Amino acid sequence: MANAVEKLNTIEIGDIEKVNTLDDDAIEDINTLEFAGVTIPAWAGTRAVYGGGTQSSNADLNRIQYKTVGASANTVDFGDLQTNRSKNSSAGSNQTRGIFAGGLGLSSGTSGSLVYGVSDTDYITIGSTGNGTDFGDLNFASSYGQAAGASNGTLLFAAGGYGASISGSTNAMEYFTIASTGNGTDAGNISVTLNGHAATNGDTRYIIVAGYNSTTGENIDVLEYNDFSTSANCTDFGDTSVTSTYNAAAATSIRAVFHIPVGYDGSAYVYGDSLEYVTVASTGNTSDFGDLDTGRINAVGLSDGTTGEYSGGNVSGGGSSTNIIDGRNLVSTGDASDIGDLLEANQDPGGLSGS
């Protein structure tokens, strides 16, 4: 099996081919062990793509930018979304096509007053560059900013998010079929009204991570999951170590790693650097994973199925954004490190991978 090959070589599977300078079949022949290679999940790929976001001046962006996941490199320009929007538009892919759904927008599309929910949904072909193309619209009942996106490579779920103002949220979820353009379809519900949360991609289930419960006016520590069912409600998974909002998430097929910054603690903002993880197939509470290079809130997480990136965010009061991209192999615990920069200081972009 592949794990036996990794133990024999004493290096990670992803590096075996590079070290041996042989392809998968040759490695298997020489080691006399089965070698499965590295399988990229249906919801991931080697190219990271970021769309939209908010600059320090609080001007919403329509920029799309990209880089190779985990590479020590800055992003480069990809194209533009149809409209300027921020607050983590729900993003996901089927490796080939990426979708950015909803977000907070501006009344005229690229200027004007802040709109707390826009239904605009764009798609891109991840392997090329260019502007976003109209995909459809979020379902009216949940066309809010800061919904969390989760993909299994077939469906993209948009879960929760702001209501008509910053003081309200929704517990609604909806889904898109990534391969077919069209509007979102109503799905089940999260157990509470929620914003400031994050969600994971996954093979068989996604996890929703903490956030701000607008009904009680408090941050929560709850993890919930859904098995990509288009009709079922979310189910309790476990808890994070502290109540937290403005979270980020990146995952492998086995493990989900969350940035748990605390966010607003009731009297002041806390810009934490903590990373915590769970095993996706087993419900339970989080364990310590390590730390980001720089503490922040409002970052976005993504991965290629092995390596995670946590990008952008707010690093201090007064809306001060950062362009830092931290990267980390998610297979083993440890701290993340600075591996590059976004094109601008930016918080709340949508993030996906593919190609």
Side-chain angles (χ1 to χ4, degrees), residues 213-236:
N213 181 341
S214 65
T215 300
T216 62
E218 298 175 328
N219 295 339
I220 63 172
D221 59 5
V222 177
L223 302 174
E224 298 187 46
Y225 75 93
N226 181 286
D227 292 328
F228 287 99
S229 168
T230 58
S231 58
N233 296 332
C234 287
T235 303
D236 184 69

Side-chain angles (χ1 to χ4, degrees), residues 264-321:
Y264 192 72
D265 67 0
S267 60
Y269 282 99
V270 180
Y271 301 86
D273 58 6
S274 296
L275 297 174
E276 302 180 9
Y277 77 97
V278 296
T279 300
V280 176
S282 304
T283 57
N285 298 336
T286 58
S287 299
D288 181 64
F289 184 91
D291 297 319
L292 291 180
D293 179 73
T294 303
R296 68 193 90 162
I297 59 176
N298 286 330
V300 62
L302 57 79
S303 86
D304 62 2
T306 301
T307 300
E309 291 189 354
Y310 301 85
S311 303
N314 187 320
V315 292
S316 65
S320 179
S321 299

